[in-house]
């Protein structure tokens, strides 16, 4: 049989691969990009958000999530839940209606599109005749009322979407009961709002844009009351008992109208411009909520004075003498109030206000004095300041986890203690097997710690590095402080703040040691901060050290930004991670690589000019190494000055194209075919992506010139205890890989613990490897005598890993953008290589070691390389033989920023940004899979009005 097998085909290995590897996109973390619509079901206690790309997402209790996507990818304009049903209707900007249901399938519930429908008018009618502007799902659950631009209201049957033509409410029929002089002055125009009477389902309130409002009797097909408004109408809201309703208008006013039992012409009870008398913005939505104490809550969007506050995005809450205008930093899409939905309840008694802004979700507690915000358990605004880097740490020890949560809880004292009010469904997913952290670095100099263990990405703690430096903004400034007499009474809410005081504060690299609690962060202006965890507030001096990476070489002049100025004297820090030493690289270029060894108390850092090693226990610089090539002039400009030299960059790009074409013709003996030209627009995407990420390219592997710019750019740093000088003695070492394909290795002498503070750490260069093809080095790894990657610092000391095999010979794996190469140690002779680019036409962007366990047995697991390429593919490559195991398409190759943002976990999962505000989570492992699993109570209202509840389990898996 063996002769019939393909070369290299092993059936046993193929079965094992099926037990180890499986690709799934499991859940999206963060805030939906470009939200466009909001809906809420008091019956299900579920919230729905629609986006401009056609996505619809449902949220309930933490862990209860559903997602659907319209095939058309059109903007979702409106979302309406069908009363007392597990169904909702969406209206898209192409005027199509879509019916969605939560249905049971194979023991699991899922969000499924049932029907779609587009309202069509008679032949020859204009599009406005059927352009839907308002949707009312009737409480009978049998029909939808659709208001249009023409003023007509169409009735469609559910769930078939059949138009009931005999029940159409025409504008002509409405105008028959309106005074003639009013009809002459104003036509009905478009339908702005449709509202069902809260006590009589046979009556609906119809509001037209010109200000006319009528109460329509569905049984007798006639107008029973008409209300003549003088201002352009924006919205309507019924009071709970149906005796009055509120209309809000374009001029910033709202009017209260009585609904009498007789047919007398109603006069408004109250007409108020809350922020007058000067011209005000429109009030686009309003609630009037009754309470037991008699004072209503009046809540409205907009209405601020145009001249002074025309650019504000506000929602005002008025309750007796209390009045606050909540000021949002991004446009308000929509909002709703959570109140008592029991039909027998006499009062509304509102408890919370939920606001969907363009960049975040804000929930306000209306029960607690001062109306504080509620800390959201999901839908986090990841991009409250732009994300510049990410770092994932798996399996956090419980003690460190609790200390981080404790530090975060002290930051959240201003939040309400109210339980999360959107609590529909139940999360039945098993508890996460371990505690995982995702750390995100931001443009404003902050690092946020997220609980990435389960479906909900929850903020645990926020660290700011700003206090170390002198900036234009005082960190003690409080934007929310108001004078006693200030009017309007604005209060800024939300966390979204895209503006950075100083772009140099941006975090570029993060490294956390989960065993020691040491944290290193590095930034845009060459700053490297080493921190340790402190459970109490403290005030201390941050030690400073400078690392001159140019080593006084002549002929180089830094043209970029200056370093950040530091504060003199003691600095007060909150409980949490507190910096104790700052290493400032000179020139102050972006830190491009970072490594921390907490057992040796060393931190290594690299920029486009070189790399250095710092002893953070003795607070002493050990050494610096300049990697700058004489032609690396662009490395001296810096990312912030590169914008000014765009013309120069373009000229150099075109010169490289011409040079590449000429050299290609010469190699082909003068042939005129210009295929396989190397793309020349890459080398420094760093200013856009904050990392050295190159544009997609397909070409065969070829040697690069040593004169290419940025050859000294340090891409990776790696600590290892291995055999560097001879095969009989191992020693600590530091490895560095550059953009020019050079690997440097330094022997380190770290004094024993008893003499650690007395003797200095010493370093000596032992090796220098130059890859022939000069491709950038993106990863370095040492394998022990068992061909197992060396454990992390302190991992063995905490009995979480076997001691490395120091008896057999070690191997060095160097991963460049174009190939994987294994060398023997200490001789550094080539043993094995895999030329990825030559075969596939792709480049390595990210690489990490991941542990894959079998889903069939707990006794087997293996370490492999997880590799992301510039084509967006993920490849799993075996260790130590470098055999390609499997390939999965993951990210679109055009999505350069998504590829640049990808971060792998230690156990075969990963995250990448699908938008500035959302991480897509994926899994490569059959064993480690984080996805929503939840039960939603599905009430079924039968004909005799008895309600039955059925549990349905959700295990949504997006394709």
């Amino acid at each position: 049989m063996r002769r019939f097998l393909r070369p290299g085909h092993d059936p046993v290995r193929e079965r094992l691969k099926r037990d180890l590897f499986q690709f799934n996109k499991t859940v999206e973390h963060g805030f939906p990009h470009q939200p466009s619509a909001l809906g809420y079901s008091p019956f299900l206690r579920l919230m729905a958000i629609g986006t401009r790309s056609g996505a619809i997402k449902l949220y309930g209790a933490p862990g209860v999530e559903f997602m659907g996507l319209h095939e058309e990818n059109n903007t979702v304009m409106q979302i309406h839940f069908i009363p007392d049903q597990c169904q909702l209707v969406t209206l898209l900007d192409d005027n199509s209606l879509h019916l969605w249901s939560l249905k049971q399938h194979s023991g699991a519930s899922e969000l499924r599109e049932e029907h779609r429908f587009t309202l069509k008018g008679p032949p020859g009618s204009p599009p406005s005749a059927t352009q839907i502007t308002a949707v009312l799902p009737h409480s009978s659950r049998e029909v939808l009322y659709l208001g249009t631009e023409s003023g007509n209201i169409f009735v469609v049957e559910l769930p078939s979407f059949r138009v009931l033509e005999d029940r159409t409410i025409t504008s002509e029929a409405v105008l028959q009961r309106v005074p003639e002089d009013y009809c002459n002055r104003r036509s009905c125009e478009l339908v702005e709002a449709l509202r069902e009477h809260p006590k009589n389902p046979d009556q609906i309130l119809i509001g037209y844009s010109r200000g006319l409002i009528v109460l329509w009797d569905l049984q007798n097909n006639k107008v029973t009351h008409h209300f003549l408004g003088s201002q352009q109408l924006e919205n309507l809201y019924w009071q709970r008992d149906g005796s009055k309703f509120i209309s809000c208008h374009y001029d910033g006013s709202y009017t209260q109208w009585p609904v009498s039992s007789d047919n007398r012409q109603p006069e408004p009870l109250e007409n108020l411009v809350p922020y007058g008398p000067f011209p005000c913005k429109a009030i686009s939505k309003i609630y009037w909520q009754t309470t037991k104490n008699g004072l209503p809550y009046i809540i409205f969007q907009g209405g601020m004075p145009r001249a002074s506050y025309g650019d504000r995005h506000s929602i005002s809450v008025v309750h007796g003498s209390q009045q606050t205008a909540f000021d949002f930093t991004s446009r308000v899409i929509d909002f709703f109030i959570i109140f008592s939905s029991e039909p027998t309840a006499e009062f509304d008694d509102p408890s919370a206000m939920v606001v969907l802004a363009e960049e975040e979700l804000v929930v306000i507690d209306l029960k607690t004095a001062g109306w504080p915000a509620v800390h959201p358990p999901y839908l986090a605004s990841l991009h409250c300041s732009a994300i510049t880097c990410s770092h994932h740490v798996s399996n956090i020890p419980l003690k460190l986890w609790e200390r981080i949560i404790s530090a975060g809880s002290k930051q959240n004292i201003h939040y309400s203690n109210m339980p999360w009010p959107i609590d529909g469904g139940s999360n039945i997913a098993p508890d996460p097997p371990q505690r995982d952290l995702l750390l995100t670095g931001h443009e404003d100099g902050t690092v946020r710690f997220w609980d990435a263990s389960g479906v909900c990405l929850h903020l645990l703690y926020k660290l700011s590095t700003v206090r170390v430096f002198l900036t234009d903004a005082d960190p003690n400034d409080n934007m929310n402080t108001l004078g006693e007499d200030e009017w309007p009474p604005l209060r800024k809410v939300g966390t979204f703040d895209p503006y950075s005081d100083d772009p140099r504060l941006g975090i570029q690299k993060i490294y956390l040691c989960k065993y020691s609690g040491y944290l290193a962060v590095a930034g845009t202006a060459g700053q490297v901060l080493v921190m340790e965890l402190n459970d109490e507030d403290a005030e201390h001096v941050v030690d400073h050290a400078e690392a001159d990476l140019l080593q006084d070489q002549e002929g180089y002049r830094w043209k970029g930004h200056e370093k950040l100025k530091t504060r003199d004297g003691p600095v007060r820090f909150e409980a949490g991670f507190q910096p104790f030493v700052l290493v400032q690289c000179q020139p102050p270029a972006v830190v491009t690589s970072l490594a921390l060894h907490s057992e040796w108390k060393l931190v290594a850092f690299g920029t486009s000019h070189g790399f250095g090693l710092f002893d953070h226990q003795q607070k002493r610089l050990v050494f610096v190494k300049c990697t700058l090539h004489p032609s690396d002039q662009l490395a001296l400009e810096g990312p912030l000055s590169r914008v000014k030299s765009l013309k120069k960059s373009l000229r150099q790009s075109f010169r490289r194209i011409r040079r590449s074409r000429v050299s290609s013709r010469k190699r082909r003996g003068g042939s005129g075919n210009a295929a396989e030209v190397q793309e020349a627009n890459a080398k420094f995407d760093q200013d856009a992506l904050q990392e050295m990420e190159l544009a997609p390219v397909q070409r065969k592997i070829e040697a690069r010139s040593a004169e290419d710019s940025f050859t000294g750019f340090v891409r990776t740093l790696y600590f290892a205890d291995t055999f560097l000088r001879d095969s009989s003695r191992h020693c600590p070492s530091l490895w560095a890989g550059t953009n020019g394909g050079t690997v440097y290795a330094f022997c380190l002498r770290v004094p024993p613990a008893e003499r650690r503070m007395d003797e200095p750490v010493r370093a000596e260069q032992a090796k220098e490897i130059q890859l022939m093809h000069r491709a950038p080095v993106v990863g370095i790894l040492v394998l022990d005598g068992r061909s197992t990657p060396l454990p992390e610092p302190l991992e063995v000391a905490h009995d979480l890993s076997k001691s490395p095999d120091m008896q057999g010979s070690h191997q060095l794996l160097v991963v460049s953008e174009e190939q994987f190469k294994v060398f023997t140690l200490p001789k550094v002779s080539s043993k094995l290589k895999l030329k990825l680019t030559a075969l596939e036409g792709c480049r390595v962007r990210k690489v990490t070691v991941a542990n894959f366990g079998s889903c069939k047995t707990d006794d087997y697991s293996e370490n492999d390389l997880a590799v992301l390429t510039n084509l967006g593919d993920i490849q799993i490559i075996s260790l130590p033989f470098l055999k390609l195991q499997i390939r999965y398409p993951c990210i679109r190759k055009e999505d350069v920023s998504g590829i640049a943002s990808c971060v792998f976990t230690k156990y075969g999962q990963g995250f990448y940004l699908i938008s500035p505000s959302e991480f897509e989570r994926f899994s490569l492992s059959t064993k480690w899979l984080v996805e929503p699993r939840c039960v939603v109570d599905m009430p079924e209202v039968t004909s005799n009005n008895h309600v039955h509840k059925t549990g349905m389990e959700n295990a949504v898996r997006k394709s």
Side-chain angles (χ1 to χ4, degrees):
M1 286 293 292
R2 290 191 175 276
R3 62 182 174 177
F4 295 107
L5 296 176
R6 296 192 305 271
H9 182 80
D10 182 354
V12 175
R13 179 62 189 172
E14 292 300 315
R15 282 196 299 271
L16 182 57
K17 281 160 62 173
R18 288 195 291 271
D19 296 342
L20 293 172
F21 312 125
Q22 183 180 354
F23 179 74
N24 287 289
K25 291 185 178 180
T26 56
V27 68
E28 292 175 4
H29 296 302
F31 185 77
H33 184 50
Q34 295 181 325
S36 56
L38 177 67
Y40 177 68
S41 169
F43 180 64
L44 298 175
R45 298 184 73 84
L46 293 178
M47 171 180 67
I49 295 176
T51 71
R52 289 191 207 170
S53 60
I56 179 169
K57 300 185 178 186
L58 270 61
Y59 299 93
V64 178
E65 296 185 14
F66 297 90
M67 179 179 169
L69 186 65
H70 296 88
E71 288 182 10
E72 295 81 0
N73 291 340
N74 287 77
T75 297
V76 180
M77 303 298 292
Q78 297 182 35
I79 301 174
H80 300 274
F81 281 88
I82 308 299
D84 302 337
Q85 291 288 302
C86 294
Q87 292 181 313
L88 63 153
V89 170
T90 56
L91 172 67
L92 304 191
D93 66 351
D94 64 354
N95 206 42
S96 63
L97 286 166
H98 301 254
L99 178 66
W100 297 81
S101 298
L102 283 168
K103 290 243 176 170
Q104 187 167 3
H105 176 68
S106 302
S109 63
E110 59 185 26
L111 183 64
R112 184 186 302 167
E113 185 176 357
E114 297 287 326
H115 298 285
R116 66 187 64 187
F117 164 75
T118 301
L119 187 63
K120 290 182 170 55
S125 61
S128 62
T130 54
Q131 184 67 42
I132 300 170
T133 56
V135 178
L136 172 64
H138 195 261
S139 60
S140 66
R141 304 180 293 279
E142 296 174 352
V143 292
L144 287 177
Y145 290 88
L146 307 177
T148 62
E149 281 189 4
S150 63
N152 295 329
I153 298 166
F154 296 89
V155 186
V156 297
E157 194 176 49
L158 287 176
S160 64
F161 280 133
R162 183 171 64 91
V163 179
L164 304 177
E165 296 182 1
D166 58 326
R167 294 174 63 177
T168 300
I169 304 171
T170 64
S171 56
E172 291 79 10
V174 169
L175 291 175
Q176 287 177 1
R177 293 296 303 270
V178 176
E180 191 171 336
D181 62 329
Y182 193 89
C183 295
N184 292 337
R185 284 190 296 119
R186 299 169 183 271
S187 65
C188 287
E189 281 205 350
L190 65 84
V191 177
E192 199 70 60
L194 293 170
R195 298 286 181 264
E196 182 179 337
H197 194 293
K199 299 296 184 182
N200 184 358
D202 291 333
Q203 292 183 335
I204 61 171
L205 199 62
I206 306 171
Y208 297 92
S209 62
R210 285 290 184 93
L212 172 65
I213 305 165
V214 299
L215 187 61
W216 182 266
D217 186 338
L218 297 173
Q219 289 290 332
N220 300 308
N221 291 325
K222 68 175 186 177
V223 173
T224 61
H225 297 74
H226 61 268
F227 310 84
L228 305 178
S230 59
Q231 293 293 332
Q232 181 175 322
L233 181 71
E234 291 289 318
N235 221 320
L236 299 170
Y237 187 78
W238 277 108
Q239 291 190 23
R240 190 177 187 92
D241 61 1
S243 64
K244 307 182 194 71
F245 69 88
I246 313 295
S247 62
C248 54
H249 302 274
Y250 182 77
D251 66 343
S253 67
Y254 66 82
T255 305
Q256 188 175 188
W257 302 86
V259 180
S260 58
S261 57
D262 53 32
N263 291 330
R264 286 182 303 169
Q265 171 61 35
E267 293 295 328
L269 295 175
E270 181 185 33
N271 184 36
L272 187 66
V273 183
Y275 294 113
F278 301 107
C280 294
K281 293 175 66 177
I283 294 179
S284 56
K285 188 171 185 177
I286 191 165
Y287 281 83
W288 184 290
Q289 300 277 280
T290 57
T291 62
K292 291 174 183 173
N293 66 8
L295 293 173
Y297 278 84
I298 305 168
I299 304 167
F300 55 89
Q301 178 184 346
M304 301 295 282
R306 285 186 183 276
S308 304
Y309 301 95
D311 59 341
R312 300 297 182 100
H313 314 288
S314 69
I315 295 178
S316 297
V317 180
V318 182
H319 180 58
S321 60
Q322 291 177 271
Q323 181 164 347
T324 299
F326 293 99
D327 185 15
F328 300 87
T329 55
S330 58
R331 183 171 62 91
V332 174
I333 303 297
D334 201 355
F335 75 101
F336 61 84
I337 306 299
I338 296 177
F339 58 90
S340 175
S341 58
E342 290 294 328
T344 57
E346 187 177 351
F347 303 101
D348 294 310
D349 284 327
S351 58
M353 176 173 71
V354 180
V355 182
L356 177 67
E358 199 165 36
E359 305 292 353
E360 62 186 327
L361 184 81
V362 178
V363 178
I364 303 296
D365 177 0
L366 298 177
K367 289 287 191 184
T368 305
W371 300 329
V374 182
H375 194 53
Y378 49 70
L379 288 174
S381 182
L382 298 175
H383 65 317
C384 44
S385 173
I387 294 176
T388 48
C389 65
S390 305
H391 176 66
H392 187 274
V393 188
S394 299
N395 208 7
I396 302 292
L398 179 60
K399 186 175 181 181
L400 177 63
W401 187 263
E402 290 174 342
R403 293 178 71 190
I404 291 172
I405 290 176
S406 174
S409 64
K410 295 174 183 177
Q411 297 176 335
N412 294 333
I413 57 174
H414 302 299
Y415 282 104
S416 166
N417 293 321
M418 166 189 268
W420 184 243
I422 304 165
D423 55 2
S426 303
N427 179 21
I428 62 162
D431 291 336
Q434 60 186 31
R435 294 168 293 274
D436 287 356
L437 274 179
L438 179 66
L439 282 68
T440 53
H442 297 264
E443 191 179 49
D444 62 355
T446 59
V447 178
R448 286 170 167 81
F449 290 64
W450 305 92
D451 177 0
S453 312
V455 171
C456 294
L457 194 68
H458 182 60
L459 181 64
L460 299 178
Y461 165 68
K462 184 179 83 169
L463 161 71
S464 177
T465 62
V466 176
R467 287 185 178 272
V468 180
F469 305 102
L470 287 168
T471 60
D472 295 334
D474 185 343
N476 296 316
D477 283 348
N478 187 356
M479 298 295 289
N480 292 333
T481 54
L482 290 175
E484 289 184 10
D485 301 325
E486 183 157 341
W487 188 263
L490 286 166
R491 189 175 107 202
K492 195 171 285 294
V493 287
T495 59
F496 179 72
D497 182 11
Y499 306 108
S500 173
D501 297 325
D502 193 326
R504 297 173 297 173
L505 290 167
I507 305 298
Q508 297 299 321
K509 295 292 174 183
I510 307 171
Y511 197 105
L512 171 67
C513 175
K514 62 185 178 184
Y515 303 113
S516 65
Y518 283 115
L519 171 70
V521 297
T524 301
Q527 69 270 29
V528 180
L529 286 162
V530 186
M531 313 184 188
E532 58 185 343
L533 194 54
N534 190 343
D535 298 327
E536 302 295 335
D537 293 5
E539 188 172 1
H540 60 258
V541 175
V542 178
D543 290 297
H544 297 81
E546 284 212 350
D548 181 10
L549 296 174
L550 292 183
Q551 297 173 304
D552 300 321
Q553 294 191 34
E554 295 184 4
Y556 293 104
R557 186 171 63 86
W558 173 246
K559 303 172 187 175
H561 50 263
E562 296 179 353
K563 68 177 184 179
L564 285 160
K565 295 178 181 178
T566 55
R567 294 181 183 271
D568 296 326
V571 182
R572 184 157 190 82
F573 297 102
E574 298 176 336
F577 286 95
Q578 299 173 351
F580 61 89
V581 67
L582 164 67
V583 183
Q584 178 63 56
C585 298
Q586 288 289 9
V590 173
V591 177
T592 57
S593 52
L594 184 69
L596 177 73
H597 200 293
S598 47
E599 190 172 0
W600 300 337
K601 304 292 194 297
L602 299 174
V603 61
F605 47 89
T607 72
S608 53
H609 308 119
F611 60 97
L613 181 67
F614 186 80
D615 178 353
H616 65 77
Q617 184 166 359
Q618 291 190 13
K619 297 174 183 173
R620 170 184 165 274
L621 189 65
V622 179
F623 78 90
V624 292
K625 169 73 175 177
C626 180
T627 57
L628 206 60
H629 189 272
S631 66
D632 279 353
Q633 289 302 314
L634 283 175
L636 293 166
E637 293 186 4
L640 302 183
S641 70
R642 223 168 288 143
V643 178
K644 302 172 186 176
S645 59
L646 179 60
K647 291 182 180 178
K648 180 180 176 184
S649 310
L650 290 171
R651 281 198 302 270
Q652 288 167 340
S653 297
F654 284 118
R655 283 172 188 158
R656 279 197 295 273
I657 291 173
R658 285 198 297 269
R659 203 162 54 229
S660 176
R661 284 175 175 165
V662 169
S663 60
S664 298
R665 290 191 186 115
K666 285 181 179 177
R667 284 196 299 273
R668 289 191 298 268
S671 170
N673 182 12
E676 296 184 13
V677 174
Q678 179 180 355
E679 266 192 26
N681 69 333
K683 288 307 189 304
F684 44 89
D685 276 346
Q686 176 197 357
D687 55 321
L689 303 177
Q690 309 298 331
E691 289 190 25
M692 189 59 186
E693 296 298 337
L694 307 181
V697 64
Q698 291 186 6
R699 63 175 181 80
K700 288 193 174 181
I701 197 165
E702 61 181 30
R704 305 185 187 197
S705 167
E707 295 180 359
D708 280 356
S709 297
F710 277 116
T711 57
F713 185 112
V714 179
R715 293 287 289 268
T716 184
L717 291 163
Y718 177 70
F719 285 108
D721 187 356
T722 187
F723 301 93
L724 198 52
R725 292 198 177 279
D726 56 58
S727 56
S728 59
R729 288 179 300 171
H730 57 90
C731 67
S733 63
L734 172 66
W735 300 76
T738 74
N739 216 46
T742 306
V743 177
Y744 299 95
F746 280 75
C747 277
L748 308 178
R749 183 188 174 278
V750 181
E754 61 273 11
R755 300 196 302 275
R756 184 64 178 80
M757 288 300 293
D758 302 325
E759 300 178 12
V761 175
R762 300 192 183 278
E764 183 182 354
Q765 184 169 339
K767 307 284 184 188
E768 181 175 334
I769 308 167
Q770 178 61 60
L771 301 179
M772 295 300 292
H773 58 291
R774 299 183 182 275
V777 177
V778 296
I780 297 173
L781 182 68
V782 172
L783 307 176
D784 69 6
R786 293 188 293 263
S787 297
T788 302
L790 295 182
E792 295 177 21
L794 296 174
E795 194 172 13
V796 176
H798 285 75
D799 297 324
L800 295 172
S801 175
K802 293 180 181 178
S803 297
D805 184 348
M806 309 306 270
Q807 304 302 317
S809 59
H810 285 198
Q811 301 172 79
L812 170 70
L813 171 63
V814 177
V815 181
S816 75
E817 281 190 352
E818 299 176 351
Q819 72 176 19
F820 301 78
K821 197 163 188 178
V822 175
F823 299 89
T824 60
L825 288 176
K827 290 184 178 179
V828 194
S829 56
S830 177
K831 180 180 179 181
L832 184 67
K833 65 182 174 184
L834 172 63
K835 293 183 178 180
L836 192 69
T837 300
L839 300 174
E840 311 294 341
C842 59
R843 289 180 176 178
V844 176
R845 283 288 176 265
K846 306 276 182 176
V847 62
T848 194
V849 175
N851 183 269
F852 293 92
S854 170
C855 62
K856 297 289 180 64
T857 173
D858 293 333
D859 298 332
Y860 184 81
S861 66
E862 66 180 41
N863 291 307
D864 297 287
L865 291 176
V867 179
L868 175 69
T869 73
N870 66 322
L871 303 181
D873 292 338
I874 291 178
Q875 304 185 11
I876 298 175
I877 295 173
S878 67
L879 287 173
F881 301 112
L882 303 182
K883 298 290 185 184
L884 177 62
Q885 300 300 297
I886 203 158
R887 180 193 295 109
Y888 301 111
C890 181
I891 310 173
R892 292 180 303 107
K893 66 180 180 181
E894 297 83 9
D895 186 5
V896 182
S897 58
I899 292 171
S901 66
C902 183
V903 57
F904 288 109
T905 77
K906 192 177 177 181
Y907 295 99
Q909 296 186 69
F911 303 81
Y912 69 94
L913 288 172
I914 52 174
S915 74
S917 59
E918 291 172 290
F919 275 113
E920 176 83 71
R921 187 178 191 136
F922 62 87
S923 175
L924 306 169
S925 170
T926 57
K927 190 172 182 180
W928 298 91
L929 199 65
V930 174
E931 60 183 352
R933 291 184 62 83
C934 52
V935 167
V936 176
D937 288 331
M938 306 286 279
E940 296 176 357
V941 182
T942 57
S943 57
N944 57 1
N945 292 329
H946 290 295
V947 176
H948 306 279
K949 290 188 177 181
T950 61
M952 299 214 316
E953 181 181 316
N954 169 39
V956 177
R957 299 171 77 147
K958 300 190 299 294
S959 59

